[in-house]
Every structure is written in C-alpha cells, then in structure tokens.
C-alpha cells in the first residue's frame, strides 16, 4: 500500500476512534467507503460499536504505527510543503495545516470520514484537525485565523465544499496546488504556476516605438538602480486607452532588463475570474516567492478592475470573510514590495488618490503622432496590398491603436485578394470601422472628395492674412479666435495655415469632446491639447460656442468647469490653437482676453464674389462668358451680399458628386437660390477690432 494511502487510513481510524469515544455510533451509520478506508470492510454487526469493535480499531491503529506509518506527509508532498513554506514564510503548524487541506482535497475517503465526524460532532473541526496532525487545537485555530499567514498568502480559499451539517472547513487550496503538491516538481514556482503566468517574448523592438524610446531607457535605469540599492522596490503605473501598447511595452522592458517577467493571473484553472482581493494577495505572495531571486519583474495587468469603485463591492473596504480590508492594508502592501512591479490600467478615473500616491513612477500611454503611426502602419501591413492613401488615413486616426492594426493586418493576410488593392482595402476598412464602432469611435474618414481650389485673397477678413501667416510662421505659437457667419472660410483658413506651416492639423468639434460622464469632457479637452503637443500640430476647435459662452449664464456647475479646463489648457499650450464660433456676441469676456487675435470673416464683397465665381468656372472647366454676358452676371452677383465662399463650394460638390451640368448662367441662378434660402441679408461688416 502506498505511503499516502497508509497515512489516510491512519487518519480515518483516528477519526473513527474519536467518534466511538464521544458519540453513540452504529456500524450501520458508517458509509461502506469509510469502513473500507479504515480497513474494516465486512466487519462489525449492525449495532453500536462495542468493546470488540473498539479493540479492533485500536489494534489497527497500533498495527499501522508499528509498521512505520508516520504522522508526517508522504513524499513528494513533504518536500514540496517544506520548500513552499520556506519561500512564503509559513510556520511549522501552518505548513502542516496546509498539507492537511491538500489531503482532504485529494482523498475522497478522508473527506467522507471527516464529513461523517462533523455531522455528529459539529463545531469540532479545529479539534479533529489538531488530533490528526498531533498539534494543539489552539495552534490549528491560530493557523487558520483569517489574519494569519495562510490567508495572507492567498493560498487558501474559503469557498470550498463544507463538511458536516454546519458546513465546516469550507477550505480548499487555490489553483491546482493540491495536485501539484503531490507531484515531483523541479522548482517551487511550479507549485504556483496557476497563480502566475510567464509572459511571452515581445513582438516588437525598441526601434519600433521611437515615441517611447526615451521612456524605455529611463525606466531601465530606474529599475536597475532600485535593484542595486536593495530595499523597497519601485511600483510603476502605466495607464492609457486599450490597445495603446502598454503590455507589449512591459514585455519589451523586461527584455531590455534581461529580467524574467511574471504576470499575476486573471483567472483560476477552471476559467473563473479571480476576485480583486485574491489577485492582490497573489501579488503580495510573489514578493516573498521571487524576492530573493534577483532579476524578476512583476506585471499586474488590468489593475483598474481591482482598484475601481465597483471591484468586489468597492474600495476602501473589501470583505475578507468577516474581516474588513481597508486602505491601510492595501497601502502597506504597496509600500512593502521588494520586487519591481508594473501596474497596467486603461484608466485611473475611478481610483482613489490614496492608492495612486503610492506609485513611484506614473506614465500615461497615448497614441503616437502621425509620423510614428505611419511607420507602425507600414510595419503592420507589410506584405498586404494597400495604398498610400489607406496608410495615411490610419496614421491620422488616433483611435486606430497598434492592437487594432495588428489584428486587422492578420485578417488581411488571410484574405487572398491577389493584387486587387481596392478589394483588400475595402475589406480592411470595413473591419477597422467595425473595431472603431464597437469601441464608440468614429469610422475612418472616407477618401477626400474633390474640393474647389482655395484662394486666400477671396476671404473677407478683418486682419491681413499674409501678415498673420508670416507672424505665426516665425513664432510657431499663438491663440486665434475666428468668428463670422457659416461658410465664410474659417475651416479652410486653418487648413491653409497648417499647410503653410507644414504642420499636421488636428480638427475637433465641441461634439467630439462633450461626454455624458462627469469629468470626461475635461479629460477629453486635456487629451486634445496633449495630442496636439505630441504631434506639433495646429489645433483647431470648431463650434467652440459650448465652451466659450458667458459663464454667468451657466445653469450647471460642470459647464463652468469645462470652460475653466479649456482656458487653463489654452494658456499652457505652446503651439498654435484656433477656435471658431458663429456666436461671437455671446462669448465670455474672460475667454476673449485669452486670444492673441480675434479675426472676423464676413461675407465677401462684390469683387471677391466675382473672383470666387471665376474660380468656380475654372474648377468646372467652363469657358469664360463673353464680355456682355460677364457684365450681366457680375451685376447679378453684386446684389447677392449674403453669399459666402461655402456657397460656391456647394455648387462645385454638386457638380462633382451628383453629375450636375452647369453653365455660367445656371451657376448664377443656383447662387441666387442659395442666397434666397438664407434668412434675410445680414449687412456686411468690415473693419478691425
């Protein structure tokens, strides 16, 4: 008989011996499996245990002890328990209790014997464990106290199957540790392989993330310095939107350090998610497990699931089986770590500042600028037939993260469209739009439609635009406010400015920034300015009325905080920021003072309207009318004082998109209808502010 089977038989006999001593138990009350486990199958009448049966039990116990059956655990469990206890800091009694829980889990005979015992002697679970382990009941109780080391390590769960009528000893080892303890293992880490996951090698190199190269080298220095100094390790918080490359960055960081990257697991072997407190306990256990190994880096991914207000009934207090775990417990663990740890989150909005202060180093991950993104696109879609225009659209859509690029590029390699670039692009664009849509982002911009060639001199501006452009070219910074009726060229002016400065243009509308959750709009405003700073882009906020109107008329407090956030970011921004509004008369006076120049764009005068008309004729490849017809057409245009450059652009798009055929006469007729459709004629204003 195997060593473990003999130990289980000895324990089952002791359970039965205690039961016949303290309870009036009949042989018939004992399940056949219990009698078999005790080696008493087929013995005993169907009445209460008598003197003969008692002596039989006692003799069987002596027989086992005389044959060298030890109270100690069999190999390899004994060695595994000893090695694990040394690494995680368990006392001798705690080690034996841990082994007993493992045996109860592994042996159905022992489990059933204890179930029978506790069904008749409820409340005696600590006592019977002490008798089986030959240790005082008090020591067993202390070992299983929820403030004790066994619980602190997270090795034990309190959701196991209960024993007896009172469901006692609802304990089991987490993961598959009971099975692992009974096997030959080469390393202690093998016993806890369900607690931690060895991270795979990175799929990128430092050269693939030029926007994070300095960050990488800085963290390498910080972690190495902390390892050399010893003592308290660093806790590094990396946060940012999903798919921005945080986890891949950590894998690359571990490779640069030459360190083993160990990730705290998210789920149990059966796929059940691990509760927030248990994940923290496993991270805490890893400090003991890997603390003396030297070059190990811990990864705690999706930490916002643990520290958010909704995690396990929320912080600051978690339930720990009757014990409330608050900030002091969590903070003490964060401050006492000895293994460098990288904590990764998608957002810190729901995290208490008391926890955030404990992190040594914090870095937000954002989507990189267009230049870096374009290189990422080319690398991801290498070998996939796509056009330069497709690459450019991905490079300028920041919501298309590296993760989306890699996933969709993989699909592109699976779909064999031969050399048909259009068919491949159509499929890839559809998939990217699906990814963006399900995450709440706008789709990729369609191929830019044909536009009417733009001429700066056609704009009716209160400021000399040549002088304005030259000044901004020299300084590279400024805050401009554009106002005037719709269609007067505010957006086209900013596009021309970005083109002349050879800078990317980031165009946002108020609707892009406004969010339903408190504080999210302010975060979007901050993100907008940060994006422009990283890309050295001209930042244009269209339809800015929502943020620039008089705060005295605000009906909600959050309206004021949004305006304040915009003003603060404006003053800190070192680039070119342009706002456009159609409601100049309702703007906040304090807001107005923040702008370096306030530029009015009004309806163009008669000469500029004629210039726009000639430009439209050229764009549509229409011939110039004869002088008599031209004079007539010019006179008719001269009476349309509320025409804007945008009206001429509408007719150009109509011709290009709808196939509408125009002649000079019909163009003027269409412009007259555009003018008449407007609500009255607002007198043309001019001059400087």
């Amino acid at each position: 008989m195997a060593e473990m089977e003999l130990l289980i038989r000895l324990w089952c006999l002791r359970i039965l011996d205690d039961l016949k001593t303290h309870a009036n138990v009949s042989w018939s009350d004992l399940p056949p499996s219990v009698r078999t486990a005790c080696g008493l199958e087929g013995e005993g009448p169907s009445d209460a245990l008598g003197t003969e049966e008692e002596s039989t039990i006692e003799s069987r116990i002596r027989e086992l002890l005389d044959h060298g059956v030890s109270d100690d655990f069999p190999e390899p469990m004994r060695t595994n328990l000893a090695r694990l206890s040394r690494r995680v800091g368990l006392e001798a009694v705690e080690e034996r209790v841990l082994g007993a829980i493992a045996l109860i889990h592994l042996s159905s005979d022992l489990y059933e014997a204890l179930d029978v015992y506790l069904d008749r002697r409820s409340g005696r679970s600590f006592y019977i464990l002490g008798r089986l382990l030959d240790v005082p009941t008090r020591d067993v109780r202390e070992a299983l106290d929820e403030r004790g080391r066994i619980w602190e390590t997270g090795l034990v769960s309190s959701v196991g199957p209960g024993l007896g009528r009172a469901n006692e000893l609802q304990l089991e080892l987490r993961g598959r540790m009971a099975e692992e303890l009974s096997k030959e293992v080469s390393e202690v880490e093998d016993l806890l392989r369900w607690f931690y996951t060895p991270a795979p090698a990175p799929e990128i190199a430092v050269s693939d993330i030029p926007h994070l190269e300095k960050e990488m080298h800085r963290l390498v220095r910080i972690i190495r310095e902390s390892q050399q100094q010893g003592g308290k390790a660093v806790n590094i918080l990396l946060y940012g939107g999903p798919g921005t490359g945080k986890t891949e960055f950590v894998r690359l960081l571990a490779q640069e350090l030459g360190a083993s990257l160990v990730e705290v697991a998210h789920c149990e072997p059966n796929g059940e998610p691990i509760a927030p407190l248990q994940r923290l306990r496993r991270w805490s256990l890893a400090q003991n497990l890997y603390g003396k190994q030297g070059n190990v880096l811990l990864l705690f991914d999706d930490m916002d699931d643990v520290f958010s207000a909704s995690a396990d009934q929320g912080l600051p207090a978690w339930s720990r089986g009757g014990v409330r775990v608050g900030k002091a417990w969590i903070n003490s663990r964060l401050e006492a770590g000895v293994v460098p740890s990288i904590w990764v989150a998608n957002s810190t909005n729901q995290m208490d500042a008391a926890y955030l202060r404990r992190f040594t180093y914090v870095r937000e991950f954002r989507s990189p600028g267009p230049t870096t993104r374009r290189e990422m696109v080319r690398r991801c879609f290498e070998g996939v037939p796509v056009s330069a225009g497709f690459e450019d659209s991905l490079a300028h859509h920041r919501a298309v993260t590296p993760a989306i690029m890699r996933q969709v590029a993989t699909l592109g390699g699976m779909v064999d469209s031969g050399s048909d670039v259009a068919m491949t692009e159509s499929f890839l664009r559809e998939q990217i739009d699906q990814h963006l849509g399900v995450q709440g982002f706008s789709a990729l911009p369609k191929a830019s439609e044909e536009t009417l060639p733009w001429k700066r001199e056609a704009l009716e501006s209160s400021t000399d635009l040549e002088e304005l452009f030259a000044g901004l070219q020299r300084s590279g910074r400024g805050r401009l406010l554009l106002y005037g009726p719709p269609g007067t060229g505010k957006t086209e002016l900013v596009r021309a400015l970005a083109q002349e400065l050879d800078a990317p243009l980031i165009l946002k509308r108020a609707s892009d920034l406004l969010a339903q959750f408190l504080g999210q709009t302010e975060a979007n405003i901050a993100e907008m300015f940060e994006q422009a700073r990283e890309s050295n882009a001209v930042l244009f906020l269209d339809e800015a009325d929502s943020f620039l109107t008089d705060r005295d008329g605000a009906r909600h407090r959050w309206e004021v905080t949004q305006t304040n956030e915009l003003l603060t970011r404006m003053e800190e921004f070192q680039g070119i920021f342009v706002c456009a509004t159609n409601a100049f008369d309702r703007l906040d006076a304090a807001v107005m003072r923040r702008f370096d120049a306030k530029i009015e764009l009004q309806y163009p005068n008669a000469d500029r309207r004629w210039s726009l008309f000639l430009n439209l004729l050229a764009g549509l490849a229409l011939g110039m009318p004869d002088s008599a017809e031209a004079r007539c057409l010019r006179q008719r245009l001269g009476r349309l004082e509320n025409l804007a450059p945008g009206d001429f652009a509408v007719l150009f798009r109509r011709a290009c998109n709808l196939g509408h055929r125009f002649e000079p006469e019909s163009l003027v007729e269409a412009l007259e209808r555009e003018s008449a459709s407007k609500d009255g004629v607002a007198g043309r204003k001019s001059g400087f502010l």
Side-chain angles (χ1 to χ4, degrees):
M1 188 177 292
E3 189 178 356
M4 181 176 291
E5 293 177 358
L6 290 172
L7 177 62
I8 290 171
R9 172 165 292 187
L10 176 63
W11 281 16
C12 289
L13 283 166
R14 282 179 172 168
I15 291 169
L16 188 57
D17 182 55
D18 192 274
L19 196 59
K20 59 94 178 174
T21 303
H22 298 97
N24 187 24
V25 178
S26 298
W27 280 110
S28 58
D29 292 336
L30 299 176
S33 58
V34 173
R35 282 182 281 176
T36 300
C38 296
L40 301 173
E41 62 274 16
E43 298 188 21
S46 299
D47 55 7
L49 290 173
T51 305
E52 182 179 346
E53 288 76 22
E54 291 177 9
S55 62
T56 299
I57 294 172
E58 292 171 357
S59 65
R60 292 294 173 86
I61 292 175
R62 285 194 302 272
E63 179 182 339
L64 288 173
L65 293 176
D66 291 342
H67 281 78
V69 177
S70 171
D71 284 325
D72 209 346
F73 296 101
E75 291 291 358
M77 181 178 284
R78 179 166 61 248
T79 298
N80 289 337
L81 282 169
R83 294 164 68 191
L84 179 63
S85 296
R86 285 194 298 270
R87 286 289 288 275
V88 302
L90 295 182
E91 300 292 340
V93 173
E94 294 169 333
E95 176 185 330
R96 291 183 60 73
V97 168
L98 198 67
I101 296 172
L103 279 184
I104 294 170
H105 175 82
L106 292 171
S107 171
S108 59
D109 290 340
L110 181 57
Y111 177 90
E112 192 165 1
L114 281 170
D115 190 47
V116 169
Y117 179 88
L118 292 173
D119 191 52
R120 289 157 176 77
R121 303 206 69 205
S122 179
R124 306 286 290 178
S125 55
F126 293 149
Y127 160 77
I128 191 61
L129 275 184
R131 183 167 181 201
L132 296 180
L133 295 170
D134 195 25
V135 297
T137 303
R138 180 187 66 255
D139 292 350
V140 175
R141 190 183 303 277
E142 289 179 358
L144 288 174
D145 187 276
E146 290 172 335
R147 289 174 290 268
R149 184 62 186 160
I150 287 181
W151 285 95
E152 288 301 315
T153 62
L155 297 174
V156 174
S157 166
S158 62
V159 294
L163 294 168
R165 285 175 293 178
N167 282 325
E168 298 178 64
L169 291 179
Q170 285 184 292
L171 305 172
E172 67 177 359
L173 297 185
R174 291 192 174 273
R176 294 182 179 173
M177 188 182 299
E179 291 86 347
E180 300 299 332
L181 283 170
S182 63
K183 299 176 182 177
E184 294 281 356
V185 295
S186 57
E187 301 290 342
V188 176
E189 288 78 13
D190 295 336
L191 299 172
L192 301 170
R193 60 194 181 96
W194 301 105
F195 282 41
Y196 310 103
T197 306
E203 297 179 0
I204 61 173
V206 176
S207 58
D208 296 328
I209 49 170
H211 62 298
L212 294 171
E213 188 170 355
K214 289 183 179 178
E215 194 74 24
M216 176 69 68
H217 296 323
R218 184 183 298 123
L219 284 174
V220 167
R221 290 196 302 271
I222 289 173
I223 293 174
R224 282 179 176 162
E225 185 67 24
S226 72
Q227 289 173 330
Q228 290 171 3
Q229 291 179 356
K232 179 183 174 182
V234 292
N235 284 302
I236 296 167
L237 170 59
L238 306 180
Y239 72 99
T244 50
K246 303 180 293 295
T247 303
E248 193 67 17
F249 176 87
V250 177
R251 293 171 183 168
L252 186 57
L253 174 62
Q255 181 175 281
E256 290 293 302
L257 286 163
S260 299
L261 180 62
V262 178
E263 181 177 357
V264 179
H266 297 79
C267 59
E268 301 286 9
N270 61 2
E272 288 293 322
I274 300 172
L277 178 58
Q278 292 302 328
R279 288 196 71 203
L280 273 182
R281 280 175 168 164
R282 294 187 183 192
W283 172 82
S284 180
L285 173 63
Q287 301 296 321
N288 294 89
L289 193 63
Y290 298 102
K292 296 180 180 179
Q293 281 195 223
N295 211 9
V296 172
L297 197 61
L298 289 178
L299 169 59
F300 198 110
D301 208 350
D302 295 322
M303 66 163 290
D304 34 352
D305 291 343
V306 174
F307 285 88
S308 68
S310 60
D312 205 30
Q313 306 305 315
L315 294 176
W318 273 319
S319 174
R320 191 178 63 172
V323 179
R324 301 295 285 175
V325 178
K327 290 181 180 178
W329 184 88
I330 299 166
N331 290 339
S332 66
R333 296 304 186 275
L334 290 174
E335 293 175 347
V338 293
V339 181
S341 301
I342 312 292
W343 304 75
V344 174
N346 290 331
S347 172
T348 60
N349 291 341
Q350 301 299 318
M351 296 185 195
D352 195 313
Y355 306 114
L356 295 176
R357 288 197 298 269
R358 265 63 189 184
F359 292 99
T360 317
Y361 187 92
V362 178
R363 166 73 185 199
E364 181 178 10
F365 271 56
R366 299 174 181 270
S367 189
T371 302
T372 301
R373 289 174 54 78
R374 188 173 286 104
E375 290 301 318
M376 288 181 173
V377 172
R378 289 171 181 166
R379 186 173 59 253
C380 287
F381 288 88
E382 185 177 2
V384 181
V386 294
S387 66
F390 177 77
E391 293 178 350
D392 194 63
S393 65
L394 294 188
H396 284 86
H397 199 306
R398 285 172 63 91
V400 182
T401 62
I404 293 178
M405 292 182 198
R406 287 192 293 269
Q407 290 163 355
V408 175
T410 301
L411 286 176
M414 296 177 181
V415 177
D416 184 10
S417 300
S419 58
D420 192 336
V421 175
M423 184 181 298
T424 302
E425 275 191 18
S426 176
F427 169 73
L428 296 178
R429 180 180 289 272
E430 176 192 351
Q431 282 301 307
I432 289 174
D433 286 347
Q434 291 292 331
H435 276 278
L436 293 173
V438 80
Q439 296 180 43
F441 297 113
S442 61
L444 287 175
K446 303 299 181 185
S448 57
E449 59 187 10
E450 294 188 74
T451 58
L452 188 62
W454 187 80
K455 289 189 176 182
R456 190 184 311 165
E457 59 271 16
L459 297 186
E460 188 80 24
S461 171
S462 62
T463 297
D464 186 328
L465 297 182
E466 295 290 343
E467 183 179 330
L468 174 71
F469 280 34
L472 293 173
Q473 182 81 54
R474 287 192 301 270
S475 67
R477 57 184 298 184
R479 299 191 290 266
L480 310 179
L481 175 64
L482 306 182
Y483 68 98
T488 50
K490 297 183 285 293
T491 301
E492 290 304 319
L493 174 61
V494 180
R495 291 187 194 278
L497 174 61
Q499 185 174 0
E500 187 147 327
L501 297 177
D502 193 25
L505 173 64
I506 295 177
L507 190 156
K508 296 286 185 180
R509 294 179 175 82
S511 57
D512 298 328
L513 304 178
L514 294 171
Q516 60 178 324
F517 298 112
L518 189 65
Q520 188 58 49
T521 299
E522 290 85 339
N524 292 341
I525 292 171
E527 161 73 16
M528 173 183 71
F529 280 98
E530 183 63 23
Q531 178 183 349
R533 183 192 65 78
E534 291 179 349
S535 304
N536 293 319
V538 173
L539 178 57
F540 178 38
L541 177 59
D542 201 4
E543 303 169 1
D545 314 10
S546 301
F547 303 112
L548 304 181
T549 49
D550 194 336
R551 284 170 288 181
D552 291 338
R555 291 179 296 174
H556 305 284
R557 183 179 178 184
W558 48 261
E559 294 177 298
V560 176
T561 62
Q562 291 171 4
T563 300
N564 291 341
E565 178 69 21
L566 180 66
L567 297 182
T568 300
R569 297 292 176 174
M570 279 175 57
E571 293 181 339
E572 294 175 350
F573 187 54
Q574 299 298 308
I576 296 175
F577 176 55
V578 185
C579 279
T581 178
N582 298 328
F584 181 76
D585 55 336
R586 299 202 303 269
L587 300 191
D588 189 292
V591 171
M592 300 277 284
R593 291 194 296 270
R594 274 16 183 240
F595 290 100
D596 303 323
K598 294 167 277 291
I599 303 167
E600 182 183 21
L601 293 175
Q602 257 296 340
Y603 295 124
N605 60 25
D607 291 338
R608 288 192 169 94
R609 289 198 293 278
W610 181 246
S611 175
L612 285 166
F613 182 74
L614 296 179
N615 193 40
L616 179 58
L617 291 178
L620 296 176
L622 296 176
M624 179 69 181
D626 59 41
S627 58
E629 184 183 3
R631 278 197 304 272
C632 178
L633 296 178
R634 184 164 187 171
Q635 288 173 358
R636 290 167 65 181
L637 285 175
R639 292 192 291 269
L640 307 179
E641 295 188 359
N642 64 346
L643 280 184
D647 299 320
F648 294 85
V650 166
L651 297 185
F652 182 79
R653 292 197 301 273
R654 187 183 303 170
C656 294
N657 298 338
L658 304 181
H660 200 103
R661 298 181 65 84
F662 285 109
E663 295 296 335
E665 170 72 22
S666 58
L667 278 176
V668 173
E669 291 175 355
L671 289 169
E672 288 173 335
R673 287 192 294 272
E674 291 290 333
S675 176
S677 67
K678 299 183 181 181
D679 296 330
V681 177
R684 186 176 60 82
K685 301 178 182 179
S686 61
F688 294 84
L689 291 179

